[in-house]
């Protein structure tokens, strides 16, 4: 159910899933550096659950996030939602907003409800209440990967600031709400985790994404040539999305040393891109032309 896109493909879904699993494991696997209270080398499990807003003590939530990562870009067409709306595709007519994300959820849910997955469903939930909660978790998590919709992003930003504001005033945000907010940012960070990993990983995935966007332009499915602003656009992406996101992971106090690692790589990659990015864009163009010679 994944198309053969240069970027939005099953390899990307697997990469995102690996990042999700890593971050979830960093919550669950406790060490002396993760900010949790320990005494006599034993962890207070009540404190652990409170620190992670219940995520560590809820297997359904953890599975829902991993499942969402696997299916979040199913059937991705290789162009952004705005282009789908402009083309007035059938899915765009149905969903109006977050077209690709809603399409992924619908396709994955239809597959999961098939008879061949009876045994899997029996492992995931046992009651109608659990089924409803599982679906809501999946929908919320996949929808969080739509980072282009300004209205949705503004709502998420407001929720984060309310829940994790650095203030002396008592914060009455519930743990369930905080867990939802943390999960939204966990999947967002995982969706762009290549920007917060080693330079060679970032460079490889950045090239793949360029190939996808440039290919859409060459086929008439994008108005502007992405190569003209790719260098500056990446710097802006680091400055206004990736690095602030990594800082949020750090400030929420859930992910321990992983948040420091993600922020360090993001900062380093931003600096490396500012030095090498213009030359790399020219290399991307040359490679595209080489791959698409008649």
């Amino acid at each position: 159910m994944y198309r053969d896109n240069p970027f939005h493909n099953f390899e990307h879904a697997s990469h995102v899933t690996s990042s999700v699993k890593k971050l979830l494991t960093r919550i669950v696997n406790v060490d002396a550096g993760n900010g949790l209270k320990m005494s006599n080398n034993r962890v207070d499990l009540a404190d652990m659950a409170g620190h992670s807003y219940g995520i560590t003590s809820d297997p359904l939530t953890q599975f829902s996030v991993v499942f969402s990562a696997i299916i979040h870009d199913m059937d991705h067409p290789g162009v952004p939602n705005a282009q789908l709306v402009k083309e007035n595709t059938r899915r765009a007519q149905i969903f109006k907003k977050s077209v690709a994300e809603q399409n992924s959820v619908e396709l994955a849910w239809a597959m999961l409800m098939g008879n061949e997955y009876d045994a899997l469903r029996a492992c995931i939930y046992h009651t109608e209440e659990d089924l409803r909660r599982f679906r809501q978790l999946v929908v919320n998590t996949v929808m969080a990967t739509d980072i282009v919709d300004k209205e949705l992003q503004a709502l998420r930003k407001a929720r984060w600031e309310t829940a994790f504001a650095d203030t002396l005033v008592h914060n009455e945000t519930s743990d369930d709400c905080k867990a939802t907010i943390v999960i939204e940012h966990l999947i967002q960070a995982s969706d762009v985790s290549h920007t917060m990993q080693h330079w060679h990983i970032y460079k490889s995935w950045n090239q793949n994404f360029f190939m996808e966007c440039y290919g859409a332009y060459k086929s008439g499915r994008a108005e502007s040539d992405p190569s003209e602003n790719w260098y500056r656009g990446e710097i802006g992406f680091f400055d206004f999305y990736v690095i602030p996101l990594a800082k949020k992971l750090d400030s929420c106090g859930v992910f321990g040393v992983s948040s420091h690692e993600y922020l360090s790589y993001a900062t380093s990659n931003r600096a490396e891109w500012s030095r090498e990015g213009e030359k790399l864009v020219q290399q991307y163009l040359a490679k595209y032309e080489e791959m698409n010679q008649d």
Side-chain angles (χ1 to χ4, degrees), residues 33-57:
N34 72 351
L36 297 180
K37 296 179 180 178
M38 301 186 69
S39 59
N40 299 323
N41 294 322
R42 296 181 63 184
V43 180
D44 184 341
L45 293 180
D47 176 73
M48 182 176 175
H51 183 78
S52 62
Y53 312 112
I55 297 172
T56 59
S57 57

Side-chain angles (χ1 to χ4, degrees), residues 1-283:
M1 294 301 291
Y2 272 86
R3 303 191 191 187
D4 190 23
N5 298 315
F7 183 88
H8 290 100
N9 51 37
F10 186 69
E11 186 179 357
H12 165 67
S14 300
H15 190 240
V16 173
T17 304
S18 295
S19 175
V20 165
K21 184 64 169 65
K22 175 182 177 180
L23 288 173
L24 287 173
T25 301
R26 292 299 173 90
I27 301 173
V28 175
N29 287 348
V30 181
D31 58 54
N34 72 351
L36 297 180
K37 296 179 180 178
M38 301 186 69
S39 59
N40 299 323
N41 294 322
R42 296 181 63 184
V43 180
D44 184 341
L45 293 180
D47 176 73
M48 182 176 175
H51 183 78
S52 62
Y53 312 112
I55 297 172
T56 59
S57 57
D58 185 1
L60 182 58
T61 293
Q62 295 180 46
F63 178 80
S64 299
V65 181
V66 173
F67 179 82
S68 299
I70 294 172
I71 62 101
H72 80 282
D73 274 332
M74 280 181 64
D75 195 42
H76 195 289
V79 295
N81 287 327
Q83 183 63 28
L84 299 178
V85 172
K86 179 182 178 181
E87 294 174 358
N88 197 32
T89 65
R90 186 174 69 86
R91 292 299 186 188
Q93 293 174 29
I94 295 172
F95 298 125
K96 311 299 183 184
K97 297 181 65 173
S98 301
V99 178
E101 292 78 12
Q102 292 198 68
N103 181 54
S104 296
V105 171
E106 182 180 84
L107 291 175
W109 197 260
M111 289 181 63
L112 181 62
M113 292 299 112
N115 293 335
E116 63 270 37
Y117 294 109
D118 286 348
L120 175 59
R121 293 199 307 276
C123 293
I124 299 172
Y125 58 85
H126 300 288
T127 67
E128 286 297 321
E129 181 181 351
D130 284 345
L131 171 60
R132 287 193 295 270
R133 191 162 73 89
F134 172 58
R135 179 174 172 81
Q136 191 61 59
L137 284 164
V138 170
V139 170
N140 287 348
T141 304
V142 175
M143 291 305 106
T145 63
D146 182 359
I147 64 172
V148 177
D149 189 300
K150 293 182 179 179
E151 182 180 353
L152 290 176
Q153 278 295 82
L155 289 172
R156 294 185 193 112
K157 181 180 180 180
R159 287 203 303 270
W160 180 278
E161 290 175 350
T162 299
F164 297 104
D166 184 13
T167 176
L168 296 177
V169 179
H170 177 63
N171 192 325
E172 296 183 351
T173 306
S174 70
D175 278 357
D176 283 347
C177 183
K178 286 185 176 180
T180 299
I181 297 166
V182 168
I183 288 168
E184 286 178 348
H185 288 75
L186 183 156
I187 191 69
Q188 287 182 342
S190 296
D191 201 19
V192 295
S193 58
H194 62 284
T195 65
M196 308 180 202
Q197 295 173 340
H198 193 279
W199 166 251
H200 294 295
I201 297 174
Y202 163 70
K203 186 171 63 172
S204 175
W205 282 105
N206 183 257
Q207 177 180 271
N208 291 347
F209 192 38
F210 176 88
M211 295 296 181
E212 184 169 299
C213 295
Y214 193 70
Y217 167 70
K218 295 292 282 186
S219 65
R221 301 191 74 189
E223 290 185 359
S224 57
D225 181 348
S227 67
E228 295 177 356
N229 194 50
W230 198 265
Y231 171 72
R232 293 185 299 274
E234 281 296 292
I235 291 177
F237 189 52
F238 274 111
D239 289 346
F240 299 109
Y241 184 75
V242 174
I243 292 175
L245 179 57
K247 288 180 177 179
K248 285 182 177 180
L249 295 182
D250 193 24
S251 67
C252 74
V254 172
F255 301 106
V257 295
S258 286
S259 57
H260 304 309
E261 174 188 315
Y262 276 41
L263 179 57
S264 176
Y265 273 124
T267 304
S268 175
N269 286 337
R270 195 270 188 207
E272 189 74 12
W273 177 262
S274 71
R275 292 190 294 268
E276 302 292 333
E278 289 179 302
K279 179 175 66 177
L280 286 173
V281 173
Q282 296 307 309
Q283 293 177 7

